[in-house]
Amino acid sequence: MPDYSALNALLTALSEHIEKTEIELASQLLVTIDKKLRAWCESTTPPTEKELLSIQTKILAATARLKNARDKTQTELINQRKSQKAISKYKATKR
């Protein structure tokens, strides 16, 4: 059970990073979660099916939110770039 609690704490931290759009920290934390989960599965007291399903559900939800945050950031950057190009073209016509 300590492994389950530790993973839950990491998953909570992951959610917080995602909410704050700290994408790099969230990605690093996913690697840590993966390592801890693998170690737990290979230990002498592996997780139960119920625990694994619970963790899997949380990871899938977190990665979906992470992907959405990344997509939103990319869209914002593209829009900003388009705006800058439009401003540059407008200024070029005024010279």
Side-chain angles (χ1 to χ4, degrees), residues 1-64:
M1 205 55 141
D3 292 311
Y4 184 74
S5 299
L7 278 170
N8 262 333
L10 289 173
L11 289 167
T12 300
L14 176 65
S15 291
E16 290 171 3
H17 288 313
I18 292 170
E19 293 301 317
K20 295 177 185 174
T21 61
E22 299 170 338
I23 307 305
E24 186 63 32
L25 292 173
S27 296
Q28 292 171 359
L29 197 52
L30 273 173
V31 172
T32 302
I33 289 169
D34 179 58
K35 289 177 183 176
K36 291 206 178 278
L37 186 57
R38 285 176 190 258
W40 186 22
C41 288
E42 295 169 355
S43 72
T44 56
T45 56
T48 64
E49 184 177 349
K50 182 179 176 181
E51 290 170 328
L52 280 176
L53 288 173
S54 173
I55 290 169
Q56 180 184 25
T57 302
K58 291 176 184 179
I59 290 172
L60 289 174
T63 53

Side-chain angles (χ1 to χ4, degrees), residues 69-88:
R70 186 197 69 203
D71 292 347
K72 181 180 175 186
T73 301
Q74 286 178 337
T75 301
E76 289 172 358
L77 289 172
I78 289 169
N79 289 337
Q80 182 181 12
R81 195 173 322 141
K82 287 179 182 177
S83 295
Q84 291 299 323
K85 285 182 180 180
I87 291 169
S88 296

